[in-house]
């Protein structure tokens, strides 16, 4: 399992209290363990905090708001994704607008990827 380093543990704890509406909506669905998969919210992972993490599928789920498209964020997100991928983790990024528009479809998409990854690991 991924573990946080430095002060990512305290950052994760704070972020759990400050989740955005799309993150809360997705968490309400993920915490029901779709297809038997357990997800953690705001999980400390090395120097980062993942929005959601499924250990069994070795998968990170990030909910991206509009800010992720501007300034240094695209380069920062790409470097972060690369860090996870070098550790054998898939990163699934979903736009916050999609979660707000159709959370069920986003959940199905995430679940399908996770199930495929679990099946591939067996």
């Amino acid at each position: 399992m991924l573990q946080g380093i430095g002060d990512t543990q305290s950052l994760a704890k704070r972020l759990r209290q400050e989740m955005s509406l799309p993150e809360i909506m997705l968490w309400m669905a993920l915490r029901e363990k779709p297809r038997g998969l357990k997800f953690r919210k705001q999980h400390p992972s090395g120097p980062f905090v993942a929005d959601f993490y499924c250990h069994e599928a070795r998968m990170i789920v990030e909910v991206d708001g509009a800010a992720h498209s501007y300034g240094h964020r695209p380069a920062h997100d790409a470097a972060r994704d690369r860090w996870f991928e070098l550790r054998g983790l898939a990163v699934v990024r979903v736009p916050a607008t999609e979660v707000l528009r159709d959370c069920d479809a986003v959940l199905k998409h995430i679940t399908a990827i996770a199930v495929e990854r679990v099946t591939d690991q067996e």
Side-chain angles (χ1 to χ4, degrees):
M1 178 178 344
L2 287 177
Q3 298 295 322
I5 59 173
D7 58 350
T8 56
Q9 298 283 357
S10 59
L11 175 60
K13 185 175 181 178
R14 182 173 55 85
L15 290 173
R16 285 184 204 109
Q17 303 302 315
E18 300 173 1
M19 292 173 66
S20 67
L21 177 59
E23 289 172 333
I24 292 169
M25 289 173 61
L26 188 54
W27 173 242
M28 297 305 287
L30 291 173
R31 75 181 198 171
E32 298 297 321
K33 298 183 181 176
R35 307 277 304 266
L37 297 163
K38 179 180 179 181
F39 287 83
R40 293 177 175 90
K41 66 179 177 175
Q42 302 300 336
H43 184 71
S45 308
F48 304 108
V49 177
D51 287 345
F52 304 101
Y53 173 61
C54 178
H55 178 70
E56 185 178 10
R58 301 212 25 90
M59 187 174 90
I60 302 287
V61 178
E62 291 291 319
V63 178
D64 290 345
H68 285 263
S69 300
Y70 300 103
H72 74 284
R73 289 304 298 261
H76 178 267
D77 288 347
R80 176 187 164 108
D81 291 355
R82 182 77 179 132
W83 188 91
F84 286 125
E85 289 165 1
L86 286 171
R87 284 147 184 85
L89 298 158
V91 178
V92 177
R93 291 190 169 276
V94 295
T97 55
E98 289 300 314
V99 176
L100 292 170
R101 184 176 301 123
D102 192 348
C103 189
D104 288 336
V106 171
L107 178 65
K108 287 177 185 173
H109 173 72
I110 291 167
T111 304
I113 294 170
V115 166
E116 182 178 325
R117 287 186 55 81
V118 169
T119 303
D120 289 348
Q121 294 173 24
E122 293 176 349

